């Protein structure tokens, strides 16, 4: 831990700050003291260059403070999904590891203990965000190695981090030479935070009480935080930043697609490829994709059986692995693009984008490398964040899994274009037999258009249903009606007409029409039969 304290490149505010943040306006890169590169320099207000020896000496004798959290089990609603939070019992903070528990479990004040050779010594305990300089707790006149024995100056507020950049919150135990006056310390804290727009500069506090506090802390621990659902939703509700996409990018399906399709991406662990599905974040993400389907009451006949769904709304939710029925997502969805960082709204609205919707089941469900994915929707030259403004190179065709009870994953991928208008004819090289539901390998297509930066992603899973069965033998014509319906209960006894066993239906729906079917041709055919029979009966009666 002592090496971490003086390491000038260990945290985001160190020597890698410019590379990590690259001029970002994100709060995660808001650095109050850029000249302080290490934790030690921020704790003591000394230079990493000119006072390196002194900083090393100050941290040499520091011991570990024992910080423990306890929290009951619970659940939170974040990013459109309910997350269950397990119980936390005597969780001991490891200063060298990122926290593995939810920041929701940090809401109750931790237990802080330390080795004290003299029970008469009083201590000040500070819980402080060393990255952004916010105070999370301050206690004075603590004794007998106990936080609760002291006087509270600043009530504990749980730290959280909605960003993929790890941020340290330090717990400092500082020996006192005398008993501190509560009023004096309170006034000092208020003055410091008032001068710095709410930030607490620890070095100023130590300077003000240089006679009452030891020159160095006796014990330290480090709470290292990354984004988690609770923190992301907390800041989302405050309209500060919406980092739901970061959480999505940690999920296994995206890592599988990236790895097995050889997509070059920038991950939070500084790698350009996902090698072991380690759930790290995708750092290029900048936009949230909200994909919403609205469907009215719908009925169709398949395998001589009626199939219907009621009206409703469905939103793609990668956290929910339960599949949706194909009929629910048969119509073109509404896609809304919104910046993760509210300050970047104008920047991303001015860019032009390409949107893919592809069936990535070969990678996600089958684990195939360099697989060809069915393209269910492809839109280029999207302007002003409005998908309807783009060029629809491949019309929307909703999910149509063929095998019953085997869901498939459908992924939306958004890329900014290097030019205002792509050459749309490029796709014809990859789709020589037509663009509609064309099978493509992602990497060659992206390279041909020079689409290198994934800025938005979402997905859902869909399952075979009556609607998908009907389209399999009427629209896609991949199987005969007899093959599709073989395991459908009641078939073929439920049919009211004969049908040749060796041919598929010849009903011809184009893509747009297939998305708006209200009745299957089987129903139409049956109605014609009934009308013909009625006319014959009328003629017979007339005779």
């Amino acid at each position: 831990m002592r090496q971490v304290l003086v390491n000038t490149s260990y945290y985001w505010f160190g020597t890698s700050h410019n590379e990590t943040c690259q001029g970002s306006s994100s709060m995660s890169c808001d650095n109050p003291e850029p000249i302080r590169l290490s934790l030690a320099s921020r704790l003591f207000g000394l230079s990493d260059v000119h006072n390196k020896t002194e900083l090393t000496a100050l941290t040499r004798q520091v011991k570990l403070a024992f910080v423990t959290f306890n929290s009951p089990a619970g659940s939170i609603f974040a990013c459109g999904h309910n997350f269950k939070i397990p119980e936390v019992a005597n969780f001991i903070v490891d200063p060298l590891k990122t926290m593995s528990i939810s920041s929701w479990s940090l809401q109750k004040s931790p237990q802080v203990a330390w080795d004290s050779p003299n029970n008469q010594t009083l201590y000040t305990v500070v819980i402080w965000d060393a990255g952004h300089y916010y105070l999370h707790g301050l206690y004075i006149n603590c004794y007998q190695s106990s936080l609760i024995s002291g006087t509270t100056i600043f009530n504990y507020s749980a730290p959280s981090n909605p960003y993929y950049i790890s941020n340290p919150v330090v717990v400092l135990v500082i020996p006192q030479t005398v008993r501190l006056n509560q009023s004096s310390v309170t006034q000092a804290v208020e003055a410091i935070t008032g001068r710095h727009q709410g930030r607490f500069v620890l070095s100023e506090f130590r300077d003000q009480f240089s006679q009452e506090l030891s020159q160095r802390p006796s014990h330290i621990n480090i709470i290292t935080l990354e984004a988690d659902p609770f923190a992301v939703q907390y800041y989302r509700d405050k309209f500060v930043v919406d980092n739901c996409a970061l959480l999505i990018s940690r999920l296994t399906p995206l890592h599988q697609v990236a790895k097995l399709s050889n997509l070059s991406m920038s991950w939070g662990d500084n790698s350009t490829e996902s090698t072991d599905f380690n759930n790290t974040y995708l750092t290029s993400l900048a936009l949230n994709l909200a994909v919403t389907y609205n469907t009215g009451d719908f009925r169709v006949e398949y395998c001589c059986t009626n199939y219907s769904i009621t009206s409703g709304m469905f939103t793609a939710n990668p956290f929910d692995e339960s599949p949706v029925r194909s009929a629910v997502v048969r119509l073109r969805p509404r896609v809304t693009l919104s910046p993760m960082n509210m300050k970047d709204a104008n920047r991303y609205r001015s860019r032009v984008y390409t949107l893919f919707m592809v069936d990535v089941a070969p990678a996600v469900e089958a684990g195939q490398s360099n697989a060809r994915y069915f393209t269910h929707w492809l839109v280029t030259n999207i302007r002003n964040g409005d998908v309807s403004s783009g060029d629809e190179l491949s019309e929307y065709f909703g999910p149509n899994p063929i095998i019953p009870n085997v869901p498939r994953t459908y992924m939306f991928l958004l890329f900014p274009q290097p030019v205002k208008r792509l050459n749309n004819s490029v796709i014809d090289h990859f789709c020589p037999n037509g663009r509609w539901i064309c099978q493509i390998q992602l990497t060659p297509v992206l390279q041909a258009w020079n689409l290198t930066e994934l800025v938005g992603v979402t997905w859902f899973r869909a399952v075979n249903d009556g609607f998908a069965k009907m389209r399999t033998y009427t629209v896609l014509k991949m199987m005969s009606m007899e093959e599709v319906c073989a395991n459908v209960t009641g078939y073929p006894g439920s049919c009211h007409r004969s049908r040749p066993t060796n041919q598929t239906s010849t009903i011809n729906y184009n893509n747009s029409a297939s998305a708006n079917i209200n009745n299957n041709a089987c129903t139409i055919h049956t109605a014609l039969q009934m009308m013909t029979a009625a006319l014959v009966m009328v003629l017979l009666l007339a005779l």
Side-chain angles (χ1 to χ4, degrees):
M1 183 182 69
R2 299 184 187 99
Q3 293 179 347
V4 170
L5 292 174
V6 296
N7 191 327
T8 58
S9 61
Y10 196 84
Y11 293 106
W12 64 268
F13 47 77
T15 54
S16 62
H17 176 261
N18 291 336
E19 179 183 352
T20 301
C21 292
Q22 297 179 348
S24 171
S25 60
S26 169
M27 284 181 58
S28 64
C29 292
D30 186 9
N31 192 355
E33 282 195 293
I35 63 172
R36 311 290 184 205
L37 305 178
S38 69
L39 269 182
S41 67
R42 294 184 169 225
L43 296 177
F44 301 108
L46 300 175
S47 169
D48 289 290
V49 177
H50 303 296
N51 305 107
K52 185 176 181 179
T53 302
E54 187 177 354
L55 287 174
T56 302
L58 286 170
T59 58
R60 185 174 294 128
Q61 302 301 319
V62 169
K63 297 181 179 180
L64 180 66
F66 299 98
V67 180
T68 307
F69 285 95
N70 290 275
S71 176
S75 64
I76 59 172
F77 184 78
C79 301
H81 185 69
N82 282 308
F83 292 88
K84 293 183 178 180
I85 309 298
E87 178 186 6
V88 171
N90 297 321
F91 179 87
I92 300 175
V93 174
D94 185 335
L96 302 181
K97 293 182 179 180
T98 300
M99 292 288 281
S100 60
I101 61 175
S102 169
S103 55
W104 183 85
S105 301
L106 309 183
Q107 299 306 298
K108 292 185 177 181
S109 178
Q111 297 175 358
V112 181
W114 57 93
D115 298 329
S116 178
N118 184 351
N119 289 334
Q120 302 303 315
T121 302
L122 299 177
Y123 296 86
T124 290
V125 179
V126 184
I127 304 175
W128 180 62
D129 179 342
H132 306 293
Y133 285 21
Y134 290 109
L135 190 60
H136 287 275
L138 178 58
Y139 310 83
I140 62 172
N141 303 326
C142 300
Y143 59 94
Q144 294 182 345
S145 303
S146 172
L147 182 68
I148 61 175
S149 65
T151 301
T152 302
I153 300 297
F154 190 94
N155 284 317
Y156 172 77
S157 62
S160 59
N161 179 13
Y163 301 97
Y164 68 86
I165 300 176
S166 298
N167 188 59
V169 175
V170 295
V171 179
L172 305 172
V173 180
I174 308 172
Q176 299 173 197
T177 57
V178 296
R179 174 175 289 273
L180 290 172
N181 179 273
Q182 180 179 356
S183 177
S184 298
V185 176
T186 300
Q187 291 177 11
V189 171
E190 291 175 350
I192 293 171
T193 54
R195 286 195 299 270
H196 299 283
Q197 293 76 48
R199 301 181 195 269
F200 182 73
V201 181
L202 182 63
S203 58
E204 290 188 13
F205 178 77
R206 292 173 56 82
D207 289 342
Q208 187 162 343
F209 293 95
S210 59
Q211 300 300 315
E212 295 89 347
L213 296 175
S214 171
Q215 289 188 353
R216 61 175 176 82
S218 60
H219 298 77
I220 292 178
N221 206 330
I222 307 168
I223 303 171
T224 305
L225 299 170
E226 276 189 353
D228 71 286
F230 177 79
V232 167
Q233 188 63 42
Y234 177 80
Y235 284 91
R236 186 188 192 197
D237 291 340
K238 290 180 175 294
F239 300 100
V240 174
V241 64
D242 183 353
N243 279 344
C244 288
L246 287 182
L247 301 181
I248 290 173
S249 73
R250 296 187 69 175
L251 300 176
T252 298
L254 179 60
H255 289 253
Q256 290 176 307
V257 171
K259 176 179 174 59
L260 298 176
S261 300
N262 293 318
L263 300 181
S264 179
M265 297 182 178
S266 299
W267 299 99
D269 59 359
N270 297 320
S271 65
T272 57
E273 61 180 27
S274 182
T275 56
D276 56 1
F277 310 150
N278 56 4
N279 290 338
T280 186
Y281 300 96
L282 184 61
T283 61
S284 63
L285 292 177
L287 296 169
N288 284 294
L289 262 65
V291 177
T292 305
Y293 291 86
N294 289 282
T295 182
D297 291 341
F298 175 75
R299 185 178 71 85
V300 70
E301 184 179 299
Y302 80 102
C303 303
C304 303
T305 301
N306 287 326
Y307 177 76
S308 63
I309 60 171
T310 57
S311 61
M313 183 177 70
F314 169 77
T315 300
N317 179 6
F319 300 108
D320 188 354
E321 295 186 357
S322 58
V324 64
R325 292 186 292 176
S326 296
V328 174
V329 289
R330 70 190 187 280
L331 304 178
R332 182 188 293 109
R334 182 178 72 255
V335 179
T336 304
L337 313 182
S338 59
M340 293 162 57
N341 185 356
M342 308 308 177
K343 295 180 180 179
D344 291 336
N346 292 332
R347 174 187 174 190
Y348 287 101
R349 192 176 292 115
S350 64
R351 303 183 76 175
V352 184
Y353 300 93
T354 289
L355 176 68
F356 292 82
M357 176 188 172
V358 287
D359 175 354
V360 294
V364 176
E365 274 80 29
Q368 297 177 14
S369 298
N370 299 315
R372 299 173 67 87
Y373 303 137
F374 283 110
T375 304
H376 283 257
W377 198 21
L378 176 56
V379 186
T380 63
N381 304 321
I382 298 170
R383 299 170 297 279
N384 300 317
D386 180 6
V387 175
S388 65
S389 70
D391 299 332
E392 195 173 50
L393 303 193
S394 178
E395 293 184 28
Y396 180 82
F397 185 80
N400 205 100
I402 304 299
I403 304 175
N405 303 316
V406 179
R408 297 178 73 88
T409 301
Y410 298 85
M411 189 170 287
F412 295 80
L413 303 167
L414 185 73
F415 296 87
Q417 299 177 183
V419 293
K420 293 294 183 182
R421 179 163 292 278
L422 290 182
N423 180 0
N424 290 335
S425 64
V426 167
I427 195 63
D428 296 326
H429 171 74
F430 301 96
C431 302
N433 297 321
R435 299 174 179 177
W436 187 56
I437 326 181
C438 170
Q439 278 188 293
I440 61 171
Q441 287 182 315
L442 272 177
T443 299
V445 175
L446 297 178
Q447 290 175 343
W449 272 328
N450 195 24
L451 303 176
T452 60
E453 181 185 10
L454 181 64
V455 294
V457 62
T458 191
W459 62 86
F460 63 86
R461 303 176 79 210
V463 70
N464 177 275
D465 64 353
F467 176 70
K469 286 181 171 64
M470 181 275 296
R471 285 204 304 187
T472 299
Y473 61 79
T474 60
V475 180
L476 299 177
K477 301 181 181 179
M478 298 177 66
M479 301 169 65
S480 69
M481 180 177 179
E482 285 68 27
E483 291 172 322
V484 172
C485 303
N487 295 320
V488 175
T489 302
Y491 183 86
S494 57
C495 294
H496 301 294
R497 66 190 186 286
S498 62
R499 177 185 292 271
T501 59
N502 60 349
Q503 67 180 35
T504 61
S505 170
T506 57
I507 302 166
N508 182 22
Y509 298 115
N510 60 31
N511 185 38
S512 298
S514 68
N516 294 282
I517 296 172
N518 290 319
N519 291 290
N520 181 267
C522 296
T523 304
I524 298 173
H525 184 73
T526 302
L528 289 173
Q529 285 184 321
M530 294 175 64
M531 291 174 62
T532 302
L535 288 172
V536 171
M537 183 62 69
V538 170
L539 290 174
L540 289 174
L541 290 174
L543 292 174

